[in-house]
Amino acid sequence: MKHLNFIFLILLIPFSVYNCENDPSDSSNSPLDASKFYQELNVSYGSDSNQKLDLYLPANRTSSTKTMVLIHGGGWSSGDKADMNAIKDLVRQDFPNLAIVNINYRLADANNKPYPMQIDDITSVIDHLKENRVKYTISDDLGFIGTSAGGHLALLWSYAFDTDKKVDMVCSIVGPTNLADPNYLNNTNPELQKLLDYFGTNAEISFLQEVSPLYQVKATAPPTILFYGGQDPLVPTTQGIDLRDKLKTLGITYEFTLYPNAGHGWIGLELLDTWLKLKAFTQTHL
């Protein structure tokens, strides 16, 4: 959702700049040189101008190399993959053996609802990775990190649309989990309501549950790590707490952190805590 200003740059340690020796315009299916780092920006995975991804493949990768998929926020209606570049740089720094895919997706407006459009875009991204698995020298195994609306999409896709069960972990940072939450249905925040209205001004409860990770999570869901702010004006604490309780009931591996004084994003020691926890969780599960 909007106004998420994670300043991940403060955590970055300078690291070497890699040179891409491959021609990004090469669209052949010939395998890339897996011994070298490869970067390709704005790869099309569909015909829409927003259906683009940035690809980062580590040097010395193998058919067992896993991929971390990053999904930006922006209230389902704005934002850009560039918003995730600081997180991308941290993943590259601390997980040099992971492939990274940082995605854009079609944005919602009055004529284009977020669901199923944006879930379909994530599926198209995953299909692109499968189709190019040999070319890229990667496995089918995935992790997700999403912020705000991107956290909602990461959770929903991992819980309800990962039919091949290839998601090994999913992280949501202030992602909505329950659009049928009474705190949403009865809210008096015009900014929040404008965002929720993208799913329909008089949406049926059954539909709101269909698009809510809380109602789609099953016992087969991947390990999940969640971060929320206690003073968030857009994502009430019930969104995180209720999913935490559901994960516990289902016996799913999870971690949950609530920063009582934080809003829709945080900096400083709380941000450092977020990355250290997410780093450890990724090391364990991806």
Side-chain angles (χ1 to χ4, degrees):
M1 302 172 99
K2 296 182 179 178
H3 310 308
L4 184 63
N5 295 313
F6 284 100
I7 310 177
F8 275 96
L9 291 174
I10 66 173
L11 300 181
L12 288 177
I13 300 170
F15 59 99
S16 59
V17 176
Y18 298 89
N19 291 317
C20 173
E21 298 182 8
N22 305 87
D23 178 5
S25 64
D26 178 14
S27 59
S28 72
N29 289 320
S30 300
L32 302 169
D33 185 347
S35 69
K36 297 178 180 179
F37 172 81
Y38 181 86
Q39 170 182 301
E40 188 172 354
L41 306 181
N42 294 313
V43 179
S44 294
Y45 64 87
S47 59
D48 190 272
S49 61
N50 280 320
Q51 292 176 310
K52 305 281 189 182
L53 61 84
D54 293 343
L55 175 71
Y56 306 88
L57 301 176
N60 301 313
R61 58 193 178 276
T62 71
S63 59
S64 297
T65 295
K66 299 181 179 183
T67 302
M68 181 69 82
V69 180
L70 309 180
I71 309 180
H72 71 79
W76 302 284
S77 60
S78 65
D80 186 86
K81 53 185 167 61
D83 300 338
M84 300 295 283
N85 277 344
I87 297 179
K88 176 264 295 181
D89 288 340
L90 277 174
V91 176
R92 279 188 60 193
Q93 173 183 280
D94 288 350
F95 297 95
N97 295 322
L98 285 181
I100 304 171
V101 171
N102 189 11
I103 75 168
N104 272 350
Y105 48 87
R106 289 172 292 173
L107 300 175
D109 57 31
N111 300 313
N112 298 281
K113 304 303 182 186
Y115 180 86
M117 177 177 68
Q118 292 168 354
I119 287 295
D120 290 343
D121 281 356
I122 297 174
T123 299
S124 294
V125 168
I126 304 310
D127 288 344
H128 173 86
L129 295 177
K130 289 179 182 177
E131 292 164 5
N132 290 277
R133 178 179 55 191
V134 174
K135 175 181 177 179
Y136 294 157
T137 313
I138 56 174
S139 72
D140 287 337
D141 293 298
L142 307 165
F144 278 98
I145 300 174
T147 59
S148 197
H152 162 261
L153 294 171
L155 290 171
L156 184 60
W157 197 91
S158 297
Y159 291 171
F161 296 91
D162 178 24
T163 56
D164 294 331
K165 301 303 177 188
K166 292 298 184 179
V167 178
D168 292 334
M169 61 150 285
V170 57
C171 169
S172 171
I173 302 173
V174 297
T177 68
N178 179 16
L179 273 65
D181 188 335
N183 286 300
Y184 275 169
L185 297 177
N186 303 318
N187 86 86
T188 58
N189 182 336
E191 180 183 12
L192 172 59
Q193 191 57 51
K194 181 180 178 180
L195 301 178
L196 297 174
D197 283 348
Y198 283 116
F199 290 91
T201 54
N202 294 295
E204 297 288 339
I205 294 297
S206 59
F207 175 76
L208 296 177
Q209 292 175 342
E210 180 181 341
V211 299
S212 296
L214 178 69
Y215 289 93
Q216 298 304 317
V217 64
K218 305 174 184 66
T220 55
T224 301
I225 184 167
L226 306 168
F227 299 93
Y228 290 89
Q231 306 302 317
D232 193 330
L234 299 175
V235 182
T237 57
T238 50
Q239 296 285 301
I241 291 170
D242 289 351
L243 181 56
R244 175 203 65 187
D245 293 346
K246 185 75 170 290
L247 294 171
K248 183 177 181 180
T249 298
L250 292 172
I252 297 165
T253 298
Y254 75 91
E255 288 187 18
F256 173 81
T257 300
L258 177 67
Y259 302 109
N261 299 315
H264 198 62
W266 41 86
I267 60 174
L269 292 177
E270 290 170 332
L271 182 57
L272 177 61
D273 179 72
T274 298
W275 179 246
L276 291 176
K277 288 177 177 176
L278 177 52
K279 178 180 176 181
F281 196 84
T282 301
Q283 288 171 330
T284 300
H285 298 290
L286 186 62

